[in-house]
Amino acid sequence: MAWDAIRKPDETRRASNLPDYDAARRRFSWAEARRMLDGLPDGRGLNIAHEAVDRHAAGPRGGKVALRWLGRAGTQRDYTYADLSRLTSRFAGALARLGVQPGDVVASLCARIPELYVAALGTMKRGAVFSPLFSAFGPEPIHTRLEKAQARVLVTTAPLYRRKVSEIRARLPQLEHVLVVPGDAADVPAGTHNLHHLLDAADDRFVIPATAAESLALLHFTSGTTGQPKGAMHVHEAVVAHHVTTRTALDLRPDDRFWCTADPGWVTGTSYGIIGPLTVGATGIVDEADFDAERWYRILQQERVTVWYTAPTAIRMLMKAGVDLARRFPAPDLRFLASVGEPLNPEAVAWGVEAFGLPFHDNWWQTETGGIMIANFASMDVRPGSMGRPLPGVEIAVVRRTGDDTVDVVTGPDEVGELAIVPGWPSMFRGYLHDEARYRRSFAGGYYLTGDLIRVDGDGYCWFVGRDNDVIKSSGHLIGPFEVESALMEHPAVAEAAVIGKPDPMAYETVKAFVALKPGHDASEALRLELIGFARTRLGAAVAPKDIDFLPGLPKTRSGKIMRRLLKARELGLPEGDLSTLEPEPAAVGTPLPGGAS
Ligand code: ATP
Ligand code: MG
C-alpha cells in the first residue's frame, strides 16, 4: 500500500539546519566541513574529545549542561561542559600515569553511568582507542571482544567485574589494568583499581597529545545480526562526520535538549549518544534505565526533550503500549523525531504523527559508516517507508557485483541492487580488526559495498529492500522482507513481523512469516488465515507469505534488531551460529529493551 507523503510546512523547512537540500549537496565539501571544528591548539591535529568537550568548556558554554544523567532509581546529575572537561582530563591523566600509550585499547563494560561517558572521552583525550562493550554481554562474548581488541585497560563496575570478568581475567594476559567504579569505598575487587581514587588523584588539566586525524579513536563491534560480530576501526577524523550529520540529519542546534536512547555499546550510542550532540554544544540526556514506555514518555515530557533519536523496536513497543499512554504525557517541546537501526515501517512513521504530532524520520547507516549516510531531513517531506536521501558529501550508487573488484551500476529508478558508497567520507571505517581480507572484499569498482539492498525512486529517495542475505527469491521474484513485514504490521493484531525465505523445490524459495501479536489478540488458525488473506490483498499472491507462525516475541540482537538468520536456522533445523549478541529469550515484545539502536 502506498502511503501519502507527510508534508513539511514552509516555516519548518526554513528554520531547519538544511533548508535547501539540493543547494547544500551542490555546495558541500568535507574540507569545508572540517573548518566548522577547531582542531587542537597550535595545529597539533584533530581529537574527538577536544571538539566534543574542551573547545566548549573554554568558551561561553563552559557552564552549560552537557549531559544530564537520569539514574535508574530517580537520581539526577548534571555535568556542565567545564565539569566534563575536568573529569575527562583526570581520566586521561590517570591513564597516562598507568602507562597507557596513544593507540592502546581501553574497553568499557558499564551500564549507562556517568563514568562510561567520562571514560569514552577521557580515553580519546589520552589518544588511546576506546572500545565500548554492551554491559549485558556474558563472560564469553566479553572475553572474545577483549581478546580480539587486545585491550590493555577495562573500565567496569565492581558488580560486573565479579559477575563477568573475574572468571575470564586469567585468560586475558594483555589486560593489565581494570578500573572499577565501586559500589562503596570497600567495594573494590582484588586486582583492580578504584576508578574514583584514580580520578581524585589526577589533575584537572591534561594536555591532549598531538593527534593525527587518521589515528585510531574507536573500535566498535557490529551487532552480529548476520553472523559473527566484526570489529570496525574508526579514526579521529570521524568527528567531522559526527558533527555535520548531527546538525543536518538530526537537525540539532546548541539550544536543543537531545535524547539518543541507544547504548554506547552500539555505534549509535557513541556517535550520537556522546560525540555528535556535544560537538554541537547541545545538552544530551542519558537514561540509565532500560525501556519502559511510561518512563520514556515521562522523560520526554519532564526533560523537555526537543530532538529524540530512537529505534524501530522501541517505537513498535511504544505503539504496542497504545497511543492513549503517549497522549497522557504531552511533550510540547519535541520538534524532531528520528529513528535508526532497522527498517522503519510506514505504520510507525504515521504513528508518530498520531502520538506526538510529528513523523519519525528514518535514517540509515551502519557501524562501518560511523555516521548517518542517508536521512529524512527536517526540511524534506517524509515518504513513509523511505530512508530518505543521501547526506550532502555522501555519494551513493545502486550496484550489482560482477566480480571481485567489479560492479555494474544500476541506473533505472526503482531497480533493486546493493547500496554502495563512494569512499572518502571522514567516518568511514579504516579496517575490520584482524581481518584485512574482509575489509578489502567490501570494496569493489571504486565503492564501499554495504551488504544492504535498496532501490532509489525517481526523486532520489532511498527504499530499503532487505539485507543481501535476507532477500527472498521466489518464482522469479525478488522479495524484500521489509515490504512483507510492513504489510503485516498494518493488521491491527500484529505487533511485530519477520519474514524469511524457505527453500522450495518448485519456487526456489517461499515466503514464511513469523508474527508476534499485540495484547488482546490470540493466535488461532482463523487469525493465521486472516493474516495470509490480508497480506495477499496488499501484496499479491506471489509476494504474500504462504505460511505464518505465531511467536510470543521475535529473536533480536541486544541492539534491538530482528535476527532473521536465527528464525531461518531454526525453521530449517540448521546450526544457530554466533548468538553472542542475542537478547535472552523469550524476547516477547514488551520485555526490557537495551535502548539499543544501530
Ligand atoms: P552484523 O554486521 O554483525 O551482521 P549489523 O549489520 O546489524 O550486524 P550494525 O552495524 O549495528 O550491525 O547495523 C547496521 C545495519 O542495520 C545496516 O547495514 C542495515 O542492515 C540495518 N539498518 C540500519 N539502519 C537502517 C534503516 N534505517 N533501515 C533499514 N535498515 C537499517
Ligand atoms: Mg552489518
Side-chain angles (χ1 to χ4, degrees), residues 222-226 230 366-368 432 448 450-452 467:
T222 60
S223 291
T225 314
T226 54
K230 300 156 283 221
Q366 50 180 203
T367 310
E368 291 85 341
Y432 282 125
Y448 163 64
T450 64
D452 286 345
R467 290 170 187 257

Side-chain angles (χ1 to χ4, degrees), residues 358-386:
L358 300 165
F360 281 100
H361 296 75
D362 187 20
N363 55 58
W364 179 96
W365 58 293
Q366 50 180 203
T367 310
E368 291 85 341
T369 70
I372 300 170
M373 295 284 108
I374 297 174
N376 285 282
F377 299 92
S379 59
M380 269 168 42
D381 293 342
V382 175
R383 298 185 180 177
S386 161

Side-chain angles (χ1 to χ4, degrees), residues 109 154 156-167 169 175 178 180 189-192:
L109 181 77
L154 174 69
T156 185
T157 63
L160 284 172
Y161 182 82
R162 290 205 181 85
R163 280 213 317 273
K164 302 178 175 195
V165 184
S166 58
E167 67 188 87
R169 180 94 187 256
L175 182 63
V178 177
V180 301
T192 68

Side-chain angles (χ1 to χ4, degrees), residues 6-18:
I6 299 170
R7 303 241 168 258
K8 292 296 179 60
D10 281 348
E11 58 274 19
T12 308
R13 249 181 249 281
R14 277 196 300 270
S16 82
N17 285 345
L18 192 83

Side-chain angles (χ1 to χ4, degrees), residues 472-479 504 506-510 541-542 546:
I472 301 157
K473 294 170 200 81
S474 185
S475 307
H477 301 277
L478 197 68
I479 301 171
D504 181 85
M506 297 295 285
Y508 185 70
E509 284 184 311
T510 58
K546 300 270 178 295

Side-chain angles (χ1 to χ4, degrees), residues 5 7 21-22 25 375-377 380-381 383 386 388-390 396 411-414 455-463:
R7 303 241 168 258
Y21 171 81
D22 294 308
R25 267 197 84 77
N376 285 282
F377 299 92
M380 269 168 42
D381 293 342
R383 298 185 180 177
S386 161
R389 292 198 277 181
I396 67 159
T411 48
D414 288 319
R455 64 187 173 81
V456 180
D457 69 20
D459 300 316
Y461 280 75
C462 303
W463 301 77

